[in-house]
Amino acid sequence: MSSSFSNADTGSKPADPYKAKNVDETSLKEKVEDLVGFVESCKFGMMTTRIESSGLLVSRCMALAAKEGGGVDLLFHTNTESGKTDDLQNDPKINIAFLNSSGEWASISGEASILSDRSTVKKYYTPTLKAWLGDLGDGTHDGGPDDPRIAVIKVSAQTATYAISNSNILSRAIEVAKGVVTGETAQVNKLRELSTDELKQCPIYLRNLKLRSKYQAAAVEFPSSSILQMPFRSMAAPQIPNLNTLRNTRGAGRGYGRGKGIYGTSITHSPEEDRLANDKVVQQTDQDASVSRLSAVEVGYLDDPFAHEFVLGGQQKRFPIINRGTYVRTTAIDALVDRFLSQDPSGKKQIISLGAGSDTRFFRLMSRPSHGNLVYHEVDFPTNTHHKITAIKRSPALMQCISTPQDITHDESTLSSPNYHIHAIDLRTLYPSSSTTLTNVDPSLPTVLISECCLIYLPSSAADAVIGHFASLFPPSIPLSLILYEPINPFDPFGKVMVSNLAARGIVMQTLHRYGSLEAQKERLRVYGFVGGIEARDVRSLWAESVGIEEKERVSGLEMVDEVEEWDLLAGHYCVAWGWRGGGEEWKGLKG
């Protein structure tokens, strides 16, 4: 039999006028988004459990480690030897409360589970846990990811109630003052509740919502390499496009199909018109690459004094998982390049970067005194090379990295100097028997080819032909290495969403289905003889296993990445593949 407490009879009028006035019945979409956003802004919550011995309730402050279930299931790190694990073992019912300085609050109730398996612990591990657990010096209880004391408390939400402000501080003050004078209940909050049934819908709903919004905001690129065994504080490299910048490009308009006029009538485009339109979309990705690189630099992930030189307009902060991806991808490729350059340090070497765009790697390398014998080539569309050369000419910091004499063509699309060459060439004109050549490329020098999401935009036959061009240009005895950074796994549900969202905005990754797995990428390298040190790694394993603990602690402290599920999904869909051929035993160091 249920019962309720009452101490008054207000007749037909609500006995709790505050709730009646402030309750906000809105869509599930808005209720869930606002709750998740409020929790993210708080970061710390009070966890309430029931003490096993007395039955009394106890609360303690806990830092939110991550979220699952579309954002409403909460995860917290814990020491398995603490009192709260005993409480939850006896009674798993739990409440997490959040409060900010404006009086906004949220209360989430549910059941807790203690997850102590090492795969889960390592998935959510952060090196800052060492500060709380300490190193007991016995080789086991060291605060590391294998410390058996570390576990994760997962709170599966069953109900949620929260109140957020519906106006600014001044408006709320006026509303309260009016209520004091008139006796009218103040309406200052949006008071909302989420039932168990509503919360059950959140994982599917919010997963789709987040994936859609993130791909509309930025298509992420990440790095991979097995050689990230040292602490890195490196710099950024180009990134695939921010799709917001493509909303007004052909194929991106809402309500108009591809090839449709404003009245829905069909318009026929020639193959050449289609090619030029697709080229324009690819070319437009470069400015977003610069913005993403600068975002990672500004937050502190990367150290790149040249990043701001190529950004037009104001800085835009990217999602934390985008910044982390830019960091990992960049340090991985930088590490591979450094390993290449460390072989016979005094010998002359060559780097050829395909689709380089606004990449700053040449300038970063030249700012170090140890690379005086390096010749660097970049290849891109004339539109992009013109933009880059224009930026270089107006920057003394960039100009001083380029040795003299410097020869720049009248249209400012091509630059040539003893240590730096920018080639305005369409890569589709490069194939084994092609008459097109890159001026001043020396086939007698040890060389690294770099393609960071460049060949992915070409038809498979054209992409293969580009690799074949360089493979035939360099004699088999000359050390030649190839580094590829590309998306993978287009066939799983997440991959299909990724491909669909990019294609809807005019971005077609043409080699993705042919080279859509780690093994396919390695086989691609074998075909052209790049069998030395051959490897392909996805970003998820790279971050988890290859970034040093101290460096991971530094990066994790820059900003909270609580979208762990989204990170794992994205990071599992990008990879770096590399291999080398030719040279003597000393080049085996490139295996990493």
Side-chain angles (χ1 to χ4, degrees):
M1 177 181 292
S2 62
S3 62
S4 60
F5 177 86
S6 176
N7 197 41
D9 183 0
T10 60
S12 60
K13 296 182 179 180
D16 186 356
Y18 164 77
K19 181 174 181 179
K21 191 73 173 285
N22 289 272
V23 68
D24 182 45
E25 295 296 344
T26 186
S27 66
L28 175 61
K29 173 181 182 293
E30 186 170 353
K31 286 198 288 187
V32 172
E33 286 180 334
D34 286 349
L35 173 62
V36 172
F38 177 71
V39 169
E40 286 180 343
S41 70
C42 290
K43 305 300 183 186
F44 294 93
M46 296 299 294
M47 175 184 288
T48 302
T49 59
R50 188 178 299 279
I51 301 174
E52 179 183 7
S53 58
S54 66
L56 297 175
L57 301 177
V58 61
S59 299
R60 73 278 288 167
C61 182
M62 299 286 289
L64 184 64
K67 302 190 303 296
E68 291 184 349
V72 295
D73 292 342
L74 311 178
L75 288 87
F76 304 87
H77 294 116
T78 188
N79 184 337
T80 58
E81 310 310 301
S82 66
K84 56 184 172 291
T85 54
D86 292 336
D87 297 346
L88 294 172
Q89 185 70 21
N90 180 64
D91 185 352
K93 290 183 173 57
I94 194 170
N95 176 268
I96 310 294
F98 299 90
L99 176 69
N100 67 17
S101 59
S102 298
E104 297 174 309
W105 57 270
S107 174
I108 299 175
S109 297
E111 291 199 0
S113 52
I114 302 171
L115 310 177
S116 59
D117 60 284
R118 289 303 97 188
S119 61
T120 300
V121 170
K122 290 180 179 179
K123 180 178 180 180
Y124 297 109
Y125 176 78
T126 173
T128 55
L129 291 171
K130 281 191 171 183
W132 305 105
L133 290 155
D135 185 347
L136 303 187
D138 59 5
T140 299
H141 305 93
D142 57 1
D146 292 314
D147 189 326
R149 295 174 296 168
I150 300 176
V152 172
I153 295 175
K154 178 177 180 179
V155 178
S156 299
Q158 295 180 346
T159 65
T161 304
Y162 69 99
I164 57 174
S165 175
N166 61 5
S167 58
N168 57 38
I169 295 175
L170 179 59
S171 297
R172 293 201 302 272
I174 293 173
E175 183 73 10
V176 172
K178 183 177 71 173
V180 172
V181 174
T182 65
E184 182 181 348
T185 305
Q187 185 176 12
V188 293
N189 289 323
K190 296 176 182 178
L191 183 62
R192 297 169 177 170
E193 295 181 351
L194 283 159
S195 67
T196 301
D197 288 340
E198 287 177 314
L199 288 170
K200 286 179 180 178
Q201 301 177 48
C202 289
I204 297 174
Y205 167 74
L206 263 184
R207 168 66 60 77
N208 293 336
L209 179 67
K210 283 192 172 187
L211 295 183
R212 184 163 58 250
S213 66
K214 280 191 172 56
Y215 272 103
Q216 288 173 349
V220 190
E221 289 186 15
F222 301 109
S224 181
S225 162
S226 66
I227 60 179
L228 297 183
Q229 303 295 342
M230 63 192 82
F232 289 108
R233 184 169 177 77
S234 191
M235 306 80 172
Q239 192 170 343
I240 316 187
N242 176 347
L243 299 182
N244 279 330
T245 64
L246 304 178
R247 285 179 175 168
N248 294 323
T249 62
R250 182 174 169 274
R254 184 183 298 272
Y256 302 104
R258 186 175 187 273
K260 298 289 185 179
I262 59 175
Y263 299 108
T265 56
S266 178
I267 298 175
T268 302
H269 296 280
S270 69
E272 178 63 15
E273 288 176 318
D274 280 340
R275 185 184 69 80
L276 292 175
N278 291 335
D279 288 353
K280 184 177 181 180
V281 171
V282 174
Q283 293 164 17
Q284 288 172 332
T285 67
D286 185 57
Q287 182 54 214
D288 186 72
S290 299
V291 172
S292 295
R293 178 168 57 244
L294 185 57
S295 174
V297 170
E298 292 292 329
V299 177
Y301 286 86
L302 306 166
D303 180 16
D304 184 351
F306 306 103
H308 68 282
E309 300 283 2
F310 299 103
V311 174
L312 302 175
Q315 167 63 2
Q316 303 174 32
K317 188 176 184 299
R318 296 301 196 221
F319 287 107
I321 60 174
I322 305 290
N323 287 332
R324 180 184 285 184
T326 301
Y327 160 79
V328 182
R329 167 257 189 92
T330 302
T331 54
I333 296 176
D334 281 352
L336 284 168
V337 169
D338 285 346
R339 289 297 296 272
F340 164 74
L341 295 174
S342 69
Q343 312 300 317
D344 183 20
S346 62
K348 193 172 183 178
K349 299 182 185 68
Q350 186 170 245
I351 293 175
I352 302 174
S353 180
L354 308 178
S358 60
D359 183 30
T360 62
R361 184 170 284 111
F362 164 75
F363 301 99
R364 294 185 276 111
L365 288 172
M366 288 302 109
S367 66
R368 294 188 254 166
S370 58
H371 297 314
N373 285 332
L374 174 65
V375 181
Y376 205 102
H377 296 263
E378 294 181 350
V379 186
D380 212 328
F381 286 112
T383 298
N384 288 350
T385 60
H386 171 77
H387 290 325
K388 187 162 195 175
I389 292 172
T390 300
I392 290 171
K393 288 180 65 177
R394 66 170 178 255
S395 169
L398 298 176
M399 288 293 289
Q400 71 179 10
C401 294
I402 305 173
S403 60
T404 55
Q406 301 163 3
D407 182 18
I408 298 176
T409 56
H410 180 70
D411 62 0
E412 297 186 341
S413 66
T414 300
L415 181 152
S416 182
S417 79
N419 69 341
Y420 187 41
H421 302 272
I422 298 179
H423 305 270
I425 290 179
D426 186 333
L427 285 172
R428 288 167 296 201
T429 65
L430 297 178
Y431 44 89
S433 59
S434 170
S435 60
T436 302
T437 58
L438 300 185
T439 306
N440 296 311
V441 166
D442 188 344
S444 69
L445 292 180
T447 299
V448 165
L449 301 172
I450 302 174
S451 171
E452 298 183 61
C453 272
C454 170
L455 298 179
I456 191 76
Y457 295 124
L458 302 181
S460 296
S461 58
D464 291 343
V466 171
I467 299 176
H469 170 83
F470 290 104
S472 61
L473 177 65
F474 287 81
S477 60
I478 299 300
L480 180 66
S481 180
L482 175 60
I483 302 172
L484 297 166
Y485 172 76
E486 296 193 344
I488 53 173
N489 296 330
F491 302 109
D492 63 20
F494 183 88
K496 291 177 181 178
V497 171
M498 176 178 70
V499 172
S500 175
N501 277 279
L502 289 168
R505 287 159 180 81
I507 302 173
V508 180
M509 296 178 287
Q510 300 190 62
T511 68
L512 178 56
H513 288 82
R514 182 169 181 177
Y515 301 116
S517 68
L518 297 177
E519 187 53 43
Q521 290 285 356
K522 288 193 285 188
E523 181 59 28
R524 179 188 200 177
L525 293 165
R526 292 189 190 100
V527 167
Y528 291 96
F530 296 100
V531 295
I534 192 169
E535 185 58 275
R537 295 279 304 279
D538 68 45
V539 173
R540 179 170 50 202
S541 65
L542 178 65
W543 169 255
E545 302 170 8
S546 300
V547 177
I549 292 178
E550 291 185 5
E551 177 64 358
K552 188 178 289 183
E553 181 175 358
R554 182 192 72 81
V555 171
S556 298
L558 294 173
E559 57 183 348
M560 187 174 185
V561 179
D562 56 4
E563 298 154 316
V564 177
E565 290 177 295
E566 286 82 355
W567 164 255
D568 282 346
L569 283 168
L570 288 167
H573 284 76
Y574 291 85
C575 81
V576 162
W578 70 94
W580 58 269
R581 71 173 206 192
E585 289 296 314
E586 70 273 13
W587 291 96
K588 292 187 176 180
L590 282 177
K591 184 173 182 179

